[in-house]
Amino acid sequence: MYGQMMFKPLLISSLLEHAANFHADTAIISKNLDTSLHTTNWGEVSANAKRFAKALNALNVQHGDCVATLAWNNYRHVEAWYAISGSGLICHTINPRLFPEQLIFIVNDAKDRVLIFDKTFLPLILAIKTHISNVETFICLDAYDEDIKQALPEVQFYDDLVQQQTADYDWPEFDELTASSLCYTSGTTGHPKGVLYSHRSTVLHTLAACIPDSLNLSAQDVMLPVVPMFHVHAWGSPYAAAMVGCTLILPGPYLDGESLVKMIDDYQVTVALGVPTIWQGLISAAQKLGSQLCSMTRNVVGGSACPPSMIATFKQDYHCETIHAWGMTEASPLGTVNQLKAKHKDLSASEQAEIRLSQGRPPFGIQVRIVNQENDTTSIQQDVGAIGNLQIKGHWIVKHYFGASDALLTSDGWFDTGDIARLNSDGYLTISDRAKDLIKSGGEWISSVELENIAMGHPEVAMAAVIAAKHEKWDERPVLVAVKQPNSPITEMEILDYYHDKIAKWQIPDKVIFVDAIPLSGTGKMLKRKLREDFVNILLDS
Ligand code: ADP
């Protein structure tokens, strides 16, 4: 017998409807490309999303077609992606920092019919246009602009399309398993692969993101997603903001430390989300500008390991709690979030800080396990603290890559993350490394992340990446690639000495290479693949 309760499909449009019904006058402030600011609210965003949904319906697109966006975090982008998914189309957010060949590949792979773009990306569109013939409609996410019309005569303008429509539109109701959006992995470790989310997976993921043990969001928050909407939906933050009806501050392309400090102070941001490299820029700028970032109670960090020194700086200097989270495109992205338990309440500040370093616990909806080898289903680790391959399962985890027919999951239905990790007895996960980044020295594994975290603890090191270099005797040995703080005279020997009382001697890097900058991926992560190409033979050569 079924339960006798109402059924309502979990649809993305219902998030925006909720925000419009109960938080219509809550502000959404957005930085335009020309640095001016635009203020709107959930009521207007909802009305414009309905207008744009009608405009999309008038185009030659069918339920289930992909509509791509190539845009920064701004209010028009938020309106557009609710309009796309809400009306039954698939919102394909594209990372503009990918190489043109990768862009062409993913636009064609997704068979995008419409391409919506911020003005800044016109040169990119013109460069790839002849290679993306399935795109029939180009929409510039702005007001009419004669220069853009000249360069791309078939272009339509978002503001015109919205103004031509009225907001009398009811979001269609359809199966909650319908595809809602598409993201490609950022290609840090290989060719981008598509992950096709559903309305149901997205709404459940949003619920999990909002709860106190996750990001602890409420209508009182002022949220600043620094992580771009093209990086796994800004980790779902614009959905979560609608669910709780909080204020949203959208930084546009201005992700440098000084711009962010200003936005945080001007709008009293309470919670911000971004990758570690963003927070590094923010801390330097706050120091330079003398800001205390007073309003910010917490910042969410994920995407790559957060150096312990960064968590300590936020806590001690800015009274800001850093929430360390782990996730991936294949997990929508939230997998684990670090919040303390009641039993940790009476621990000392340093003991609590120690717990906060890990990547945290899974929220309801996610299961995690550690196995001995990649794609293993038999040797599941029962020993607490044992290191192995991390596998996950849950309501918002990928089943197949987009367009792929080959089985992705293990025979018992788990997704192998490619990460090496351990779990403690309280269910807190610590990521040691990506399997591909581990260093195998004389048959023993060395975690590159651990070595990076130590180097980052040195006050004169601005950025550190550790890679495996080939070694005649040991197969591989760690090499540290580091960026010095400006004008620092620090030497290779001083950094190597710094490791001595912090790690086993055989794990200390063989060499330090100083560089001016470490190459970053499109999502702001250190591109170790590139460093490996440059330095893999450095120990053989010397
Ligand atoms: P890509 O694999 O192309 O970088 P993703 O953004 O999906 O794209 O990256 C997911 C990966 O990022 C994870 O598998 C993990 O290796 C790494 N990662 C994410 N969050 C963390 C974290 N908090 N600590 C360490 N690694 C992390």
Side-chain angles (χ1 to χ4, degrees):
M1 198 196 299
Y2 284 127
Q4 297 178 344
M5 306 304 283
M6 286 186 195
F7 173 77
K8 248 187 96 59
L10 300 172
L11 298 179
I12 285 174
S13 55
S14 65
L15 298 169
L16 188 58
E17 278 290 87
H18 173 79
N21 287 338
F22 302 107
H23 305 279
D25 61 353
T26 299
I28 295 178
I29 296 163
S30 182
K31 200 159 189 174
N32 295 320
L33 299 174
D34 64 1
T35 74
S36 63
L37 289 150
H38 179 274
T39 301
T40 177
N41 57 39
W42 283 113
E44 284 178 37
V45 164
S46 164
N48 279 347
K50 289 182 171 196
R51 292 188 181 101
F52 190 56
K54 283 169 78 176
L56 287 171
N57 278 356
L59 298 175
N60 180 28
V61 285
Q62 314 263 321
H63 187 88
D65 278 346
C66 280
V67 174
T69 67
L70 200 56
W72 300 109
N73 294 7
N74 61 55
Y75 74 98
R76 293 186 183 97
H77 195 184
V78 173
E79 291 171 1
W81 78 341
Y82 275 109
I84 298 165
S85 302
S87 64
L89 299 162
I90 299 172
C91 182
H92 172 201
T93 44
I94 302 181
N95 182 347
R97 297 183 186 129
L98 294 176
F99 296 117
E101 309 82 68
Q102 289 179 314
L103 283 176
I104 292 166
F105 167 79
I106 66 172
V107 172
N108 289 333
D109 193 50
K111 301 190 181 54
D112 291 325
R113 303 289 302 279
V114 180
L115 208 167
I116 299 174
F117 64 98
D118 265 340
K119 266 185 193 177
T120 3
F121 301 121
L122 178 71
L124 209 52
I125 304 276
L126 296 175
I128 65 171
K129 191 170 165 266
T130 52
H131 304 283
I132 50 170
S133 51
N134 40 288
V135 176
E136 290 170 10
T137 308
F138 292 88
I139 299 175
C140 175
L141 208 49
D142 220 305
Y144 182 86
D145 182 316
E146 186 56 34
D147 291 344
I148 295 192
K149 188 81 187 161
Q150 293 280 335
L152 186 66
E154 66 267 56
V155 73
Q156 304 190 47
F157 291 90
Y158 180 82
D159 287 5
D160 293 347
L161 290 169
V162 165
Q163 275 154 23
Q164 286 157 14
Q165 302 290 341
T166 52
D168 54 341
Y169 176 79
D170 292 327
W171 295 111
E173 197 162 290
F174 42 77
D175 184 346
E176 63 184 18
L177 295 175
T178 303
S180 60
S181 45
L182 176 65
C183 287
Y184 282 73
T185 58
S186 58
T188 311
T189 54
H191 212 40
K193 293 184 282 281
V195 179
L196 188 63
Y197 310 94
S198 72
H199 283 260
R200 175 188 159 83
S201 70
T202 304
V203 174
L204 292 174
H205 176 268
T206 308
L207 274 166
C210 291
I211 60 173
D213 265 3
S214 294
L215 310 190
N216 190 15
L217 298 174
S218 85
Q220 294 177 24
D221 273 312
V222 179
M223 180 201 280
L224 171 69
V226 185
V227 52
M229 288 164 69
F230 54 75
H231 187 194
V232 215
H233 300 136
W235 303 343
S237 53
Y239 297 129
M243 182 173 273
V244 299
C246 70
T247 301
L248 201 48
I249 309 293
L250 300 164
Y254 300 100
L255 310 183
D256 59 284
E258 292 197 17
S259 303
L260 295 175
V261 168
K262 203 162 163 8
M263 285 205 108
I264 290 167
D265 288 342
D266 286 353
Y267 297 106
Q268 298 290 291
V269 168
T270 58
V271 55
L273 304 92
V275 293
T277 44
I278 288 291
W279 301 132
Q280 244 164 319
L282 182 84
I283 290 171
S284 309
Q287 284 163 352
K288 186 172 156 208
L289 300 173
S291 166
Q292 290 302 307
L293 305 173
C294 293
S295 58
M296 209 156 86
T297 57
R298 57 218 192 277
N299 66 324
V300 183
V301 59
S304 39
C306 179
S309 53
M310 188 179 281
I311 299 184
T313 303
F314 271 111
K315 177 95 177 163
Q316 285 153 21
D317 298 354
Y318 300 99
H319 307 292
C320 174
E321 205 68 67
T322 297
I323 304 175
H324 193 189
W326 169 86
M328 59 196 314
T329 309
E330 290 87 339
S332 300
L334 200 66
T336 60
V337 195
N338 194 317
Q339 293 283 11
L340 298 179
K341 293 184 173 181
K343 69 195 258 188
H344 300 134
K345 242 179 168 171
D346 297 329
L347 296 179
S348 68
S350 66
E351 286 167 323
Q352 288 189 351
E354 188 63 32
I355 296 169
R356 284 226 167 249
L357 296 182
S358 86
Q359 279 79 359
R361 301 176 270 120
F364 167 79
I366 295 285
Q367 289 167 267
V368 294
R369 73 179 186 187
I370 304 290
V371 298
N372 277 337
Q373 289 167 33
E374 205 174 332
N375 292 321
D376 201 350
T377 58
T378 49
S379 52
I380 296 150
Q381 273 297 352
Q382 305 299 344
D383 297 344
V384 168
I387 290 197
N389 287 68
L390 172 65
Q391 297 184 343
I392 52 175
K393 196 177 196 178
H395 300 299
W396 50 88
I397 306 299
V398 68
K399 189 165 72 179
H400 285 289
Y401 283 118
F402 181 67
S405 53
D406 41 337
L408 177 64
L409 306 185
T410 62
S411 56
D412 58 348
W414 291 72
F415 172 72
D416 201 296
T417 62
D419 284 346
I420 304 297
R422 62 176 192 274
L423 282 168
N424 78 7
S425 56
D426 286 322
Y428 285 75
L429 180 81
T430 300
I431 302 281
S432 302
D433 222 330
R434 288 185 191 239
K436 289 184 179 132
D437 291 341
L438 273 178
I439 299 141
K440 193 158 198 190
S441 169
E444 297 286 344
W445 294 105
I446 302 176
S447 153
S448 66
V449 173
E450 208 173 327
L451 299 183
E452 286 158 10
N453 284 344
I454 294 173
M456 287 297 291
H458 194 293
E460 291 190 47
V461 174
M463 206 181 270
V466 170
I467 54 156
K470 283 189 189 159
H471 193 279
E472 269 179 16
K473 181 169 176 197
W474 303 110
D475 279 344
E476 290 179 353
R477 288 294 301 157
V479 165
L480 171 69
V481 184
V483 180
K484 297 179 193 179
Q485 292 288 7
N487 306 321
S488 162
I490 192 165
T491 64
E492 174 173 17
M493 271 326 287
E494 283 169 319
I495 294 193
L496 294 179
D497 280 348
Y498 184 70
Y499 274 101
H500 270 279
D501 53 350
K502 300 181 179 68
I503 202 156
K505 201 159 168 259
W506 63 272
Q507 297 185 332
I508 297 175
D510 277 23
K511 190 172 181 58
V512 179
I513 301 164
F514 290 111
V515 292
D516 292 337
I518 286 176
L520 298 180
S521 75
T523 50
K525 303 187 193 193
M526 294 190 293
L527 253 189
K528 292 204 207 174
R529 194 177 35 157
K530 173 78 179 69
L531 292 176
R532 229 175 279 131
E533 276 166 25
D534 292 350
F535 300 119
V536 68
N537 292 325
I538 190 105
L539 298 177
L540 301 179
D541 298 345
S542 59

